[in-house]
Amino acid sequence: MINKVKRLLAFLKGYLLAKRGKHLSREKIDKMQLKAFNAFRRNVLVKSSFYSLYSTDNLAQFPVINKAIHMNNFDTINTQELVKKDALNIAIQSERSRNFKPEYKGFSVGLSSGTSGNRGLFVVSEQEQAQWVGYIIGKMLPLSIKKHRVAFFLRANNNLYQSANGLMISFQFFDLINGISANIDELNNFSPTLLIAPGSVLRRIAQSPTRISPSRVIAVAEVLEHEDRQIIEQRFNIKVEQIYQCTEGFLAASCSAGNLHLNEDTCIIEKQWLDKSTGRFSPIVTDLRRTTQPVVRYLLDDVLIEDTTPCECGSAMTRIKNIEGRCDDVLKFKGITGADVDVFSDYIRNTIISSSDEIEHYKLTQTDKNKVLIEIHPLKPKIINNITQGLDNLCLRLSVISPEYTFKAIPLKVGMEKQRRVVRLCNG
Ligand SMILES: [Zn+2]
């Protein structure tokens, strides 16, 4: 009972936060961020042995870290004495069995691949989840008496998304591992009012014989390609909205005018400029709401393009013209029945990153119908074995014929090039 009340309060807090943020001036946003960071440091960061060393309210004095540093220091960064090895084991087990219920000391754990190659691990409490759900609903949905029916297509489910059920929305998760056609009947029966999926999946749903007519369609997890957007909008006769979210937080969302704004009411997002003249930067994220696994000055390798034109929606939060760097291809392998089968990059990415802790950089290119080139750093026999085995298992699960694999070393690099890790170079 107490837990339920706590969850409801957290939900309301998230909801109100999202509603309030829309109407703040730039000056108020800056002031609010300062105040929120001070409170965050005193209430949360003092419990993290990694961050308690910094006894200042000046964010600029904290180190800028990346995924590798964050993951290497997971045990001292988190505030609940959680151990990375144990959390990873549970997350990997969930991913393999596709049973996403197990928890670790009462916390939900999940894996993410992201664009930086090696995997990320996220751990959240029930209250953080409830607040997250409240915030998303406040941001994306009008409060209505009618229950929203949300259909969510993702590579992996986890408790984070399950927690949405019951609070003003009914929620159904569709596992992409089953393919889209296997989900069509269920999707028709559920008849979602809101459809959430990666852009390339939305496109396939739009092109499939479904009878659904959602009132909102939201693209997540990858860049929404222009061509996909057109097809989706034509089929559903509505504008596609976007949520830009990753392990490190819910970073941006479409506004009523259809433009992306950074969620500066829950995050402080500093800019590491790549090219100021074109507005390109990588975000350095401080998430003011994460209490179990604090995210402080965390540099993402995504590339965002700022749009300095004021938005007609009236929001003073930074407007984003586009997100680059999350645009992997969909591969096509030969199915055991002879027909081509789409293999989403998410599966490939996840298979590779869960093959070994040591992988720092990789790129997989489909060079022919039955051939893939896997460039990897470091190139070691054990990693090659694990990846081969993982991809073979994936092919078995998807009922496709395993392609021929060629492995090659890839140097570590940083730069402006779009971070495509899964690429298809062949046609047909
Ligand atoms: Zn706007």
Side-chain angles (χ1 to χ4, degrees), residues 114-115 223 225 301 324-331 345 349 361-365 375 410 413 416-425:
T115 47
V223 168
E225 299 294 339
D301 57 9
E324 289 181 343
R326 298 191 149 204
C327 44
D328 289 330
D329 289 341
V330 177
L331 306 185
S345 54
R349 278 206 300 263
H361 187 43
Y362 72 86
K363 186 171 179 183
L364 182 143
T365 310
E375 294 165 280
I410 188 171
K413 61 162 181 56
M416 283 273 302
E417 191 196 336
K418 282 189 182 184
Q419 302 265 345
R420 290 206 306 175
R421 297 189 178 274
V422 180
V423 180
R424 188 162 75 102
L425 287 182

Side-chain angles (χ1 to χ4, degrees), residues 253-261 310-317 319:
S254 296
C255 67
S256 53
N259 299 313
L260 272 172
H261 291 271
C311 184
E312 60 192 80
C313 78
S315 169
M317 290 189 236
R319 181 174 163 186

Side-chain angles (χ1 to χ4, degrees), residues 174-187:
F174 293 84
D175 192 342
L176 272 173
I177 202 87
N178 301 324
I180 287 163
S181 44
N183 282 308
I184 285 183
D185 282 349
E186 217 181 334
L187 191 61

Side-chain angles (χ1 to χ4, degrees), residues 58 60 67 75-76 92 134 141 246 338 349 392:
N58 182 1
K67 183 186 253 173
D75 292 2
T76 53
I92 290 170
L141 298 179
C246 46
R349 278 206 300 263
D392 280 345

Side-chain angles (χ1 to χ4, degrees), residues 84-140:
K84 180 175 132 188
K85 201 168 84 228
D86 299 340
L88 261 181
N89 279 341
I90 292 171
I92 290 170
Q93 212 45 51
S94 296
E95 185 76 44
R96 288 198 182 137
S97 64
R98 309 203 76 70
N99 169 14
F100 298 99
K101 286 268 186 285
E103 293 190 337
Y104 172 39
K105 290 189 180 171
F107 296 91
S108 296
V109 289
L111 273 183
S112 80
S113 48
T115 47
S116 52
N118 53 356
R119 66 190 158 196
L121 174 71
F122 61 99
V123 182
V124 286
S125 69
E126 272 194 359
Q127 270 160 274
E128 283 172 281
Q129 293 174 49
Q131 190 176 348
W132 175 81
V133 173
Y135 183 76
I136 283 205
I137 290 179
K139 205 90 188 173
M140 304 306 287

